Amino acid sequence: MTSLEKVVDQRRWWKEILFILGFYLVYARIRNQFGSNGLFAADTTTAADNARTVINLEKKIGLFFEEQLQSFFIDWGWFLWFWNVFYGSLHFVVTIGTGIFLFRKFPARFLRYRTGLAITTALGLVGFAAFPLMPPRLLSTPPPYGGSMTEFAFVDTLAVHGGLWSFDSGTLQAISNQWAAMPSLHLAWAAWCALALIPVLNSRWARLTMWSYPIATSFGIVVTANHYWIDGLAGLVVLILGMECAKLISRIRFR
């Protein structure tokens, strides 16, 4: 039995749950110490300036389309309600489901992908701390979280069309980092699910569904004005780095 097989054979589901829950709680705690709240909170001007930097970059390369995309769908209440729910729920549901499936069916693969996701998420924290970014939905809203940039017409679709929860909750605003937009871990996690599952799925329709999931997530994060498309690109970059680090760790540990 190889070293990897021994580790897989000795694993316990409750240990994995404790590790994942513990990691996420630490991640959330650290994330919320930067950006809009917390011990190392940034100021509104910094988050707004970073937003202008991103927008100007997109304009420079001719790809600032987020505002136009959202405006096309803004009156489709049921449609945007769906994407609000998609954004707020599948991020967790699909990722957890992917982890459970790998743990039960492909435990060796689970170890590497679990490590890769953890590193990816940790790298996301670096981005949140180094580059607090006001998301599109907050650009025209007043401080302390918004930038009062009335030249932009982005709409907080969750506030207008509803969903499973609301950014307008005083408790949520007080404890969460409203400027944790760069990179988009929503897209990073969605792409992680696709990478983890597509090679081991037998059904063509299941593979097609997993291919479509990160594509749908890319659309969802933009149409709800939670991210700029560049945030999504950054999310893919940290995922690549995270998975490469996990691969290196696996080689060193189990060679």
Side-chain angles (χ1 to χ4, degrees):
M1 182 178 289
T2 66
S3 298
L4 176 57
E5 288 171 337
K6 288 179 181 178
V7 170
V8 172
D9 186 61
Q10 294 170 0
R11 80 195 192 287
R12 295 292 184 271
W13 63 267
W14 57 268
K15 289 183 179 180
E16 289 297 334
I17 290 177
L18 288 177
F19 169 79
I20 293 169
L21 285 177
F23 179 87
Y24 187 80
L25 289 174
V26 171
Y27 154 77
R29 178 66 176 173
I30 295 175
R31 178 196 63 196
N32 296 336
Q33 295 305 308
F34 295 90
S36 60
N37 294 293
L39 186 62
F40 306 102
D43 58 80
T44 303
T45 300
T46 299
D49 287 346
N50 287 341
R52 287 193 182 277
T53 298
V54 169
I55 291 171
N56 289 338
L57 174 60
E58 291 186 354
K59 287 181 176 179
K60 187 174 183 179
I61 61 178
L63 288 174
F64 178 60
F65 59 82
E66 295 93 332
E67 193 172 30
Q68 185 176 3
L69 176 68
Q70 191 193 53
S71 67
F72 181 83
F73 294 104
I74 198 59
D75 294 324
W76 298 23
W78 60 271
F79 183 77
L80 291 176
W81 178 89
F82 167 81
W83 287 107
N84 288 337
V85 173
F86 182 101
Y87 180 86
S89 60
L90 293 193
H91 177 55
F92 295 105
V93 173
V94 178
T95 305
I96 292 171
T98 298
I100 292 173
F101 178 80
L102 290 181
F103 182 84
R104 296 189 62 183
K105 300 293 185 180
F106 304 94
R109 188 176 183 82
F110 167 81
L111 288 177
R112 179 158 64 91
Y113 272 81
R114 178 256 279 155
T115 301
L117 183 63
I119 296 173
T120 297
T121 304
L123 290 174
L125 288 175
V126 177
F128 300 157
F131 197 76
L133 177 62
M134 190 174 290
R137 62 181 175 81
L138 292 178
L139 293 180
S140 61
T141 62
Y145 304 116
S148 296
M149 303 180 197
T150 54
E151 67 268 31
F152 296 107
F154 287 106
V155 173
D156 184 345
T157 58
L158 196 58
V160 174
H161 298 292
L164 300 180
W165 47 279
S166 174
F167 287 119
D168 292 332
S169 164
T171 300
L172 182 61
Q173 288 182 338
I175 66 173
S176 65
N177 183 355
Q178 300 289 306
W179 302 331
M182 174 70 80
S184 169
L185 290 185
H186 273 75
L187 184 54
W189 286 20
W192 175 87
C193 293
L195 289 175
L197 292 182
I198 288 172
V200 297
L201 293 174
N202 294 322
S203 167
R204 182 179 66 177
W205 289 108
R207 292 195 300 271
L208 181 61
T209 298
M210 290 314 303
W211 273 115
S212 66
Y213 177 51
I215 296 173
T217 300
S218 299
F219 176 81
I221 64 176
V222 172
V223 79
T224 58
N226 281 292
H227 287 281
Y228 310 91
W229 68 263
I230 283 183
D231 302 341
L233 179 61
L236 296 179
V237 170
V238 297
L239 174 62
I240 292 171
L241 292 175
M243 291 308 301
E244 287 300 314
C245 287
K247 186 186 299 184
L248 179 61
I249 291 171
S250 181
R251 287 175 179 172
I252 294 174
R253 185 179 180 187
F254 301 116
R255 63 185 176 184

